[in-house]
Amino acid sequence: MRHERGVLDTSTLILLPRIEDPESLPVEPLITAVTLAELSVGPLVATTAGERVARQAHLQQAEADFDPLPFDATAARAFGRVAASLRRAGRKPAARAYDAMIAATALAHGLPVYTCNPEDFAGIEGLDVVPVPVRGRP
């Protein structure tokens, strides 16, 4: 079933050109401010000028294409539930802080998360995770 709206996590946003079937994405794809934060790190930690330019271009494209969902007070409260779920599942929330905050934002808005890395969201109670297949990946 194709959702009307859904949150693309950072991996999905980065891998958009390699998505096997665009119909596997929501009709209205959304991103979170957390994804923009995660993308903002990329150019600053790049090890080559070419990599820095590519990452900066990716960030700027995301900023131009999306009006991100904020990590607001509702998302902050949802984050507590996400962190508790991850702990109960034996996972460390701090290790996946960006993913946990993206999940919390999606939960706060009642939206599914579309991801190329569904294992990153394993163990989060109540989160609808939609795996997105990409070319060149199992």
Side-chain angles (χ1 to χ4, degrees):
M1 175 185 96
R2 189 172 187 201
H3 293 94
E4 186 63 31
R5 300 172 78 220
V7 173
L8 307 183
D9 80 329
T10 309
S11 71
T12 305
L13 184 64
I14 289 169
L15 294 170
L16 273 177
R18 293 178 39 202
I19 301 295
E20 289 179 3
D21 178 12
E23 295 292 313
S24 67
L25 297 175
V27 175
E28 182 185 355
L30 305 165
I31 66 168
T32 70
V34 176
T35 289
L36 284 184
E38 194 171 3
L39 289 173
S40 295
V41 174
L44 301 173
V45 299
T47 57
T48 67
E51 183 181 20
R52 187 174 303 104
V53 167
R55 289 179 177 192
Q56 185 65 37
H58 205 100
L59 169 62
Q60 289 173 320
Q61 190 66 57
E63 290 173 331
D65 290 346
F66 294 94
D67 183 18
L69 298 171
F71 187 83
D72 57 13
T74 304
R77 285 189 296 278
F79 181 81
R81 293 191 313 272
V82 169
S85 290
L86 290 171
R87 285 195 180 129
R88 282 192 294 275
R91 301 182 69 204
K92 295 181 180 176
R96 308 285 335 157
Y98 291 126
D99 293 332
M101 292 174 77
I102 290 167
T105 304
L107 283 169
H109 291 273
L111 298 168
V113 170
Y114 284 73
T115 180
C116 297
N117 298 317
E119 63 280 357
D120 291 348
F121 296 92
I124 299 175
E125 295 168 13
L127 182 65
D128 184 4
V129 178
V130 181
V132 177
V134 293
R135 287 185 299 277
R137 258 188 156 175

